C-alpha cells in the first residue's frame, strides 16, 4: 500500500540548512566546540575526547549493533476492519505503566545536577567524546564514533535533539531528558526527531525521558530500552500537511538488529492531526527484518504497531501491553496493522491489552 509521508520538501531544506551551518564551523557564537570544555569543569566531560582507541565509560547495559537512519514518518492508512482483534478472556490487567513496572518520569531522565550550556547547533567531531551533566539549549550533530551523552538535558529548536551522521557508530544517549520548544522548530515550527540515526553505525538510547518531537526515536538498528516517550506534539510541516507522529520509527532496509525493549511509548496525537504509530516499522527504504519488540507499554497512533508489512522477516513481538488510554483499541483504528504472519522467523506471543485481553493480529493485507 503506497503511503504519503508529507515530507517532500524536508530533505532539501534540511540539506541546505545543514550545509550553511557546517560552513559556519557548526557552532554559533558563544557555543564552545566540543574540544574546548575545561578538563576540570564540574560534570563536564564532553569536550575533551578520549585518547585514541579508548572507549567511553560503559553504560549499565550492552550496546546493541545499530545502523541505518530512519525515513520520514508514515501516515496512517485508511481504517480497515479486521486488522487486529482481541479475545474476551481477561487477565493481567494494568492500570498504568508504573503499576506494571514500565518506565515513567520517575525512572527516566537525568539523575544529577546540570550545568547550563547554550550551545545552539553543536557538531561533535572527536571520537570518544562524553557529554555529562550538561543542560543544553540547542542540538547535537554527531560526526564521530563512540560518543556518549549521559545525565544531560537537551532542549532543541532544531530538526533534532541528537543526530548520528552516516559512517559513524557507537552513539549512546543514556539517562537524559530530551525535549523541544513547541512552535520554534525549523519544520514550520515543528521539531522532527529527538534522537535520529542517519545510518552506518550503532545507536543505544536508554533511560531517557523524551517529549514534544514529531518522531521521537528514529533508527533502523540498535537498542532502545527503558525509555519514557510521551506528549508528542503535532504540527503542520513545511509541506503544508500534518506531520505524522511516531514514538519509535524505522524505515526498513536495515542490515542489523533493532531491539525495542521495556519502553513506555505514548502517542497521544489525534487521528485528524497526523497520528501514525506507537511503533512504526515501515518498508519505506527496504524490507523490514530482524526487529525485536519486547515488553513495552504502547498506546496511541492510528495503529499502535505497524508490523513491517509484506516481506518482513525476523520480527518478534512478545510480552507487550497495548494500552487503551487514548483509544479503546490502543490505536485509533486498532492494535496492529501490516503484520506478516507467514514471514520467516516472525513471532507474535503473549501480547495483551492493558485490561488483560490477549491480542491476535490478522495477516497483512
Amino acid at each position: 500500500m503506497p503511503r504519503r509521508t508529507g515530507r517532500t520538501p524536508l530533505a532539501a531544506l534540511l540539506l541546505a540548512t545543514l550545509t550553511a551551518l557546517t560552513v559556519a564551523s557548526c557552532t554559533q557564537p558563544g557555543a564552545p566546540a566540543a574540544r574546548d570544555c575545561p578538563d576540570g569543569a564540574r560534570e563536564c566531560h564532553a569536550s575533551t575526547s578520549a585518547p585514541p582507541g579508548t572507549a567511553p565509560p560503559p553504560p549499565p547495559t550492552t550496546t546493541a549493533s545499530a545502523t541505518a537512519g530512519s525515513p520520514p514518518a508514515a501516515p496512517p492508512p485508511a481504517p480497515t476492519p479486521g486488522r487486529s482483534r482481541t479475545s474476551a478472556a481477561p487477565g493481567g490487567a494494568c492500570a498504568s505503566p508504573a503499576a506494571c513496572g514500565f518506565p515513567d518520569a520517575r525512572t527516566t531522565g537525568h539523575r544529577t545536577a546540570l550545568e547550563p550550556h547554550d550551545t545552539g547547533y553543536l557538531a561533535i567531531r572527536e571520537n570518544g567524546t562524553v557529554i555529562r551533566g550538561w543542560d543544553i539549549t540547542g542540538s547535537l550533530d554527531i560526526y564521530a564514533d563512540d560518543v556518549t551523552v549521559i545525565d544531560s538535558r537537551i532542549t532543541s529548536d532544531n530538526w533534532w535533539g541528537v543526530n548520528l551522521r552516516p559512517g559513524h557508530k557507537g552513539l549512546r544517549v543514556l539517562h537524559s531528558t530530551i525535549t523541544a520548544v513547541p512552535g520554534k522548530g525549523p519544520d514550520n515550527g515543528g521539531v522532527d526527531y529527538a534522537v535520529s540515526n542517519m545510518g552506518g553505525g550503532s545507536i543505544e538510547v536508554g533511560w531517557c525521558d523524551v517529549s514534544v518531537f514529531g518522531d521521537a526515536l528514529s533508527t533502523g538498528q540498535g537498542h532502545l530500552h527503558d525509555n519514557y516517550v510521551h506528549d508528542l506534539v503535532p504540527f503542520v510541516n513545511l509541506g503544508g500537511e500534518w506531520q505524522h507522529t511516531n514514538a519509535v520509527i524505522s524505515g526498513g532496509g536495515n542490515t542489523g538488529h533493532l531491539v525495542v525493549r521495556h519502553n513506555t511509548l505514548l502517542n497521544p496525537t489525534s487521528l485528524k492531526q497526523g497520528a501514525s504509530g506507537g511503533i512504526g516499522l515501515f518498508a519505506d527504504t527496504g524490507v523490514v527484518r530482524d526487529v525485536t519488540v519486547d515488553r513495552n507499554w504502547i498506546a496511541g497512533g492510528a495503529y499502535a504497531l505497524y508490523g513491517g508489512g509484506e516481506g518482513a522477516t525476523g520480527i518478534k513481538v512478545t510480552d507487550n501491553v497495548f494500552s487503551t488510554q487514548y483509544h479503546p483499541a490502543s490505536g485509533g483504528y486498532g492494535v496492529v496493522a501490516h503484520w506478516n504472519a507467514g514471514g520467516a522467523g516472525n513471532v507474535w506471543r503473549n501480547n495483551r491489552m492493558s485490561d488483560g485481553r490477549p491480542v491476535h493480529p490478522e495477516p497483512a493485507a
Side-chain angles (χ1 to χ4, degrees):
M1 178 183 299
R3 301 184 302 107
R4 293 165 55 243
T5 64
R7 298 195 185 199
T8 303
L10 178 57
L13 287 166
L14 177 56
L15 179 59
T17 301
L18 295 182
T19 301
L21 288 168
T22 303
V23 171
S25 299
C26 297
T27 307
Q28 295 181 355
R35 69 186 66 184
D36 294 334
C37 181
D39 290 341
R42 183 176 63 86
E43 298 179 353
C44 175
H45 309 290
S47 303
T48 305
S49 70
T54 301
T61 61
T62 302
T63 303
S65 174
T67 40
S70 61
T80 304
R83 284 297 181 90
S84 58
R85 55 191 172 87
T86 57
S87 72
C94 287
S96 68
C100 280
F102 290 96
D104 63 9
R106 298 171 299 175
T107 60
T108 58
H110 59 280
R111 304 165 296 178
T112 61
L114 302 178
E115 179 178 306
H117 287 266
D118 188 0
T119 65
Y121 172 90
L122 179 61
I124 305 297
R125 300 183 180 276
E126 293 192 17
N127 293 343
T129 296
V130 177
I131 292 178
R132 184 189 302 271
W134 282 27
D135 189 352
I136 295 170
T137 302
S139 61
L140 302 176
D141 203 4
I142 312 300
Y143 293 84
D145 295 342
D146 301 321
V147 172
T148 298
V149 180
I150 187 168
D151 281 317
S152 295
R153 177 168 57 204
I154 298 171
T155 304
S156 175
D157 60 0
N158 200 349
W159 298 96
W160 55 72
V162 184
N163 180 51
L164 180 67
R165 288 290 175 168
H168 296 288
K169 62 183 180 179
L171 172 66
R172 299 170 180 175
V173 184
L174 308 173
H175 295 290
S176 293
T177 302
I178 310 169
T179 189
V181 183
K184 298 296 184 180
D187 196 357
N188 199 33
V191 181
D192 290 74
Y193 305 108
V195 180
S196 170
N197 184 2
M198 295 181 72
S202 62
I203 184 172
E204 179 184 3
V205 183
W207 304 284
C208 288
D209 184 323
V210 180
S211 61
V212 177
F213 298 88
D215 285 318
L217 304 179
S218 174
T219 185
Q221 301 168 68
H223 191 188
L224 310 178
H225 61 90
D226 301 288
N227 300 292
Y228 175 44
V229 180
H230 60 102
D231 294 307
L232 304 183
V233 173
F235 58 91
V236 176
N237 62 27
L238 288 169
E241 300 177 330
W242 282 106
Q243 178 70 19
H244 301 293
T245 59
N246 297 271
V248 171
I249 183 170
S250 178
N254 54 309
T255 58
H257 194 187
L258 173 62
V259 177
V260 184
R261 176 169 285 132
H262 198 245
N263 303 278
T264 297
L265 304 172
L266 309 180
N267 186 352
T269 309
S270 76
L271 296 175
K272 295 181 179 179
Q273 293 180 304
S276 186
I279 298 177
L281 305 179
F282 301 118
D284 286 347
T285 59
V287 173
V288 179
R289 59 174 70 88
D290 296 329
V291 180
T292 296
V293 177
D294 178 58
R295 290 185 291 121
N296 300 282
W297 176 283
I298 310 168
Y303 288 92
L305 171 67
Y306 286 81
E310 185 177 357
T313 59
I315 314 301
K316 298 176 176 62
V317 182
T318 56
D319 298 299
N320 297 282
V321 176
F322 291 93
S323 169
T324 60
Q325 81 180 78
Y326 302 124
H327 306 286
S330 192
Y333 300 139
V335 174
V336 56
H338 304 301
W339 173 251
N340 182 17
N346 291 350
V347 175
W348 184 280
R349 184 178 64 243
N350 198 31
N351 300 293
R352 68 187 192 277
M353 301 294 288
S354 53
D355 61 11
R357 292 172 294 153
V359 178
H360 308 286
E362 298 294 341

